[in-house]
Amino acid sequence: MPRACRALIVLPLLAAIGCSSNGTPTSPSSAVPSGRGSTRVLMLTATAAFRHESIPAARQAMAGLAASSGEFSLTATEDMSSLSADNLRAYDVVMFALTSGELPLSTAQQAALLDFVMSGHGFIGVHSATDTLYEWPDYGRLIGAYFREHPWTQQGTVIVEDPSHPAAAGVGDRFSILEEFYTFQENPRGRVHVLLRLDAASVGATGDYPLAWVQPFGAGRVYYNALGHFSETWNDVRFQRQLAGAIRWAGFR
Ligand SMILES: [Zn+2]
């Protein structure tokens, strides 16, 4: 990866020009240098259904986090052609942030994304990434669950189930946040390792509502966080801390 691409934020149309053709091909065994700035993240915010107003804030927040942490470089794009086997060789982590609907992915691109993760790379989904690609069941297995509904858009308490995990560390045992809290078609608990759950009582409900989780996928690592509806969430240092930790964890070598 040329240093010129580190922490470079490229607009969608420039994404392929910016970094894709310069990446050194990687295999699970080839070493991507670890340490500061070594993780290369491809952030996709394309939508084929609902489009969140927070997408610009999400992109800006992640660009800021890349620059301030010095731990990863970020390419934000809505160009679906960036999800090709060839282009993915330039990245360590693919992040679906606020995506929605049946994104146009060819069979070859679907295989490329699955191969990317299974061969030892990272996949991160945020908020409506579970409201995405319902018609591709392998994607549901990759991300862990599909969105069902959002019964509560209000202040609620989030319980941190595993504060020792890098993607949930540093935010305390629980925190209160204004969010659009999701429920899922099937509770993923049991199939995934839950990091966050909603304190149901805080929204006047009962039941088990996981909000963030991780799971292995082949030799790769998958992280999902259901928060992120509002721009304020993306600008919340507690949310950013989780995402930075998730990138560190998912992009490990
Ligand atoms: Zn939302």
Side-chain angles (χ1 to χ4, degrees):
M1 181 77 181
R3 289 204 167 268
C5 281
R6 298 245 169 110
L8 177 66
I9 314 308
V10 251
L11 295 170
L13 293 175
L14 295 176
I17 302 166
C19 286
S20 66
S21 61
N22 294 325
T24 304
T26 57
S27 69
S29 59
S30 78
V32 174
S34 59
R36 295 174 68 82
S38 65
T39 302
R40 304 158 301 176
V41 179
L42 179 64
M43 178 187 190
L44 183 79
T45 56
T47 55
F50 184 79
R51 187 166 180 88
H52 281 85
E53 291 178 5
S54 54
I55 286 175
R59 293 170 64 129
Q60 195 169 13
M62 292 307 296
L65 193 56
S68 64
S69 72
E71 293 186 341
F72 63 95
S73 62
L74 183 78
T75 302
T77 187
E78 304 215 341
D79 181 357
M80 295 304 295
S81 72
S82 62
L83 293 174
S84 67
D86 193 39
N87 192 51
L88 288 176
R89 290 192 188 97
Y91 297 98
D92 305 297
V93 174
V94 169
M95 178 181 191
F96 276 30
L98 301 172
T99 53
S100 69
E102 300 307 314
L103 297 173
L105 280 174
S106 69
T107 304
Q109 286 180 298
Q110 292 178 346
L113 183 58
L114 293 177
D115 287 349
F116 173 81
V117 183
M118 293 192 73
S119 65
H121 299 92
F123 182 84
I124 291 175
V126 182
H127 195 56
S128 53
T130 48
D131 187 30
T132 301
L133 294 168
Y134 293 93
E135 293 174 12
W136 180 27
D138 282 337
Y139 178 79
R141 283 187 277 278
L142 174 70
I143 200 162
Y146 281 117
F147 167 80
R148 181 182 177 190
E149 56 184 352
H150 50 78
W152 313 287
T153 301
Q154 61 181 90
Q155 197 80 22
T157 300
V158 175
I159 296 170
V160 181
E161 292 199 10
D162 185 0
S164 70
H165 194 280
V171 296
D173 293 337
R174 56 178 57 216
F175 58 91
S176 179
I177 192 167
L178 173 65
E179 252 300 331
E180 176 190 76
F181 293 107
Y182 275 10
T183 62
F184 300 93
Q185 293 180 4
E186 292 180 0
N187 187 337
R189 189 185 295 280
R191 291 182 286 111
V192 301
H193 177 60
V194 176
L195 300 182
L196 307 178
R197 77 170 184 275
L198 178 65
D199 177 359
S202 74
V203 296
T206 57
D208 178 34
Y209 302 105
L211 291 175
W213 55 77
V214 290
Q215 66 168 335
F217 195 80
R221 294 180 167 187
V222 175
Y223 167 85
Y224 171 73
N225 192 323
L227 307 180
H229 177 77
F230 294 110
S231 298
E232 288 78 4
T233 301
W234 288 91
N235 292 323
D236 188 318
V237 67
R238 302 169 299 180
F239 189 57
Q240 293 184 4
R241 198 165 289 159
Q242 293 171 60
L243 296 179
I247 289 169
R248 204 179 304 129
W249 174 80
F252 93 109
R253 286 291 173 276

